[in-house]
Structures are given as structure tokens and as C-alpha cells.
Amino acid sequence: MCDSEGSVRELSYGMDAGDYNSIIVLGPTAVGKTALAVRLADKLNGEIISADSRQVYRGLDIGSGKDLCEYTLQNPERTIPYHLIDVVSLPFEYSVFNYQRSFYQVFPEIISRGKLPVVCGGTGMYLDAVVRGYSFVDVPCNAKLRTSLVGKSDSELADMLINLKKGKLHNTTDILERHRLLRAIEIEVFMQEHTDIPVNETEDSFPARPDIRPFIIGTTFPRDVLRNGINRRMNNRFKEGMIAEVAGIHKSGIEWERLERLGLEYKLIAWYLQGKIETEEGLYEKLRISIGQFAKRQETWFRRMEKQGVKIHWVPCSGSPEDISVENRLEKCLAMLREAGFCIADKTGSGR
């Protein structure tokens, strides 16, 4: 299968005047979203739904930052349930279409148990898909088209995509990486050839969109603090064996090209293991730059969501050690949630 982003048609975003029935915690990489979301779920009798495009894969542990130990809290020990992590194996290409379908199944199941869904992640397309109610067509691979595009430069492919879409790009990040460019062209060609196809058409029945009314919390740090956090986390991942993880995945039969399509750590470490990056120091520097750029793109995506009507309640943060602590941000979040009408018990209890 190809790396499928599914063709998207937007529906209007809106929030009923009634109570919220879920929480979303979003933000750029390396700001401790999971730790914050887990504590919120603990306070509000919730369960976590991950919104991370790489944590869905089994075996992508260190590089994707699963940190499953963070779902277990101490004194007393209890583990917060989580969903949409480790749900598929490589080389399957899990798309935003797959994510939305899985989310629409999991969300009402959590509600039916009297629990509060707490969505946590930084994959903007995944978050946008469930918050603003995109509808998708599951677009198959077009091997003939792919073959015809071999040899074209990235700039030629970008021009082709812009022409196909008549200058109206839904997602400008599609032109930043070659595999995204190819997939975006494939989707657009398919949609122009199948103008009468119904949205969300797939062999399996697509679940109806549940009633999703989220209170959205955003957390980020000042640029220098975020940069330091990225570097610190990257050092830890190197020590934990991130290079060995990628080497092991390839040894298990996953091609280099597939690892490269995962982006960031997996892409650059795959290059390093193939000799395309000569030294570990060079790998570290390229990773530092790439992850910093990725964090900027994430924040740009969230600003775009806000411009399109999504209300994000950002946690104030000066960058001081106290402000960036999970405990301090948790208290600020709880204050916002109380003001919004959530019922928060002193210990683990139900929220509204």
C-alpha cells in the first residue's frame, strides 16, 4: 500500500452550547503532552486516545516517543487506559482515513463506559480530522501514475500538484517531502477521475461520526526552552538505543524506503545506517534541525486551526522551571476546566 492521506472534504466546525464531552491536549513535540494528558485523565475519570501518526505502529517505540511508562501513576499505582497505540504493524501504511475510522469506533465506546475521552497528540491532520469533521475517500495506489512520475524533480511535482489543484493547496506541507507530493498528486488525480464517489467510501462500513464536543487545551514553551527540551529528549533516545531500534526494524524485513517515509528519526537514522550520513555527530545535528523545524510546522498547523474557528485554550507559560513543570500546568488546566463546567473531584472521579 502507499502512504495514504486519503482525500479530504471539510465540514464546518462548530461547538454546541451544551457541555463538553471530551478533552484534547495538543502541542508541539517535546513539551510533555502525554504526562499532562494522563494526569488530566486521572483527575476526570478518563481514558487516553492517542493522536500520533507513528505511535500507531508496533515496534516504533523509542523513535516515536511512546513512553508507555507515563500511563502508570504512583501512590497509589494505577494505569490510565490508552487507545490507538500499537494498533498496526509495518509495512502497513496507516493513514488519516484509518485514524478517523478507528477514532469514531473508540470514542463512543469510552463514552458508553462513563469515561471521559482525553485525546493527546501533535499530529495536526489527525486532530483536525476529528475536531472539524473531515470526510474522506480511501484512495488506492496508482502504480501506473507512480511509474510515470519517476524521474521528475520535486519542483516539477510541486508544480504539477499546484496545477491539478488550481493553486488551492489544502495542506502546504504536501510540497515539502517527495513521498507526500507523490501521494497528494495520486489523490488529486483519483478525485478528478471519480467526481461522483461518495465520501468515506470503503469496503468496510465507515462508522458514523459520534457527537464530539472537545475542550481543547494547547501547551507549548518559548522557543529556547522548546529547543533545549528537544535536545535533551534526543540525547535520552540515543542512550536508550534509538539507532539499534531502527536497525532492528530493517533487519526484520522492513525496507529502508518504508522507514524513510516515517520521517524524522526513522528517516535520518535510516540514512545514517545506509551511509548517507557519515557520522553519528552529523546525524545528531541533522536530527536537531529537522525536529526543530517539525515543531515549528506543528505550531503553524495549530494556528491554522484557530484561524478556521477552532478554539484552543493555551496554557500560559513563561518558560521558567516552575511554569514548564507538569504539576504547574496541570493546575492551570484544571482551573480552565472548572471554569468551563467540568466537575473535578479531589481524587480520581468523574468529570463532565
Side-chain angles (χ1 to χ4, degrees), residues 40-221:
L40 287 170
D42 184 52
K43 291 287 187 181
L44 287 103
N45 193 29
E47 298 185 10
I48 301 293
I49 304 177
S50 172
D52 188 290
S53 62
R54 297 187 300 174
Q55 291 186 9
V56 298
Y57 293 104
R58 290 184 284 271
L60 271 60
D61 301 325
I62 301 173
S64 71
K66 283 177 186 168
D67 300 326
L68 297 182
C69 61
E70 291 193 351
Y71 292 90
T72 298
L73 299 171
Q74 305 298 324
N75 301 320
E77 183 174 308
R78 67 269 189 208
T79 298
I80 305 302
Y82 57 84
H83 306 270
L84 304 191
I85 294 176
D86 289 339
V87 295
V88 294
S89 298
L90 292 170
F92 181 80
E93 308 252 10
Y94 192 91
S95 70
V96 67
F97 177 91
N98 301 128
Y99 179 80
Q100 188 186 55
R101 177 168 53 189
S102 299
F103 187 98
Y104 285 5
Q105 293 168 338
V106 167
F107 188 92
E109 290 173 3
I110 296 173
I111 296 286
S112 70
R113 293 193 293 271
K115 302 283 189 173
L116 181 76
V118 179
V119 184
C120 175
T123 300
M125 178 66 90
Y126 282 16
L127 293 164
D128 234 351
V130 297
V131 170
R132 296 201 295 130
Y134 292 167
S135 292
F136 293 94
V137 174
D138 196 12
V139 178
C141 287
N142 185 334
K144 183 177 180 180
L145 174 63
R146 292 271 178 143
T147 300
S148 72
L149 298 178
V150 171
K152 290 188 178 295
S153 68
D154 289 356
S155 60
E156 288 175 319
L157 293 174
D159 289 341
M160 182 177 179
L161 177 62
I162 291 169
N163 288 334
L164 283 168
K165 297 181 77 69
K166 297 180 173 57
K168 297 179 180 179
L169 290 182
H170 166 72
N171 179 12
T172 56
T173 60
D174 282 339
I175 65 175
L176 298 179
E177 297 183 354
R178 187 175 182 86
H179 78 273
R180 293 181 66 94
L181 263 171
L182 291 168
R183 183 54 180 164
I185 291 170
E186 191 170 52
I187 289 170
E188 190 60 28
V189 169
F190 179 90
M191 294 304 297
Q192 292 186 14
E193 292 176 350
H194 301 81
T195 56
D196 59 342
I197 191 169
V199 296
N200 283 342
E201 181 174 292
T202 180
E203 293 180 3
D204 302 320
S205 58
F206 198 94
R209 185 176 192 273
D211 175 28
I212 304 171
R213 289 174 280 120
F215 185 91
I216 305 176
I217 295 171
T219 182
T220 190
F221 299 154

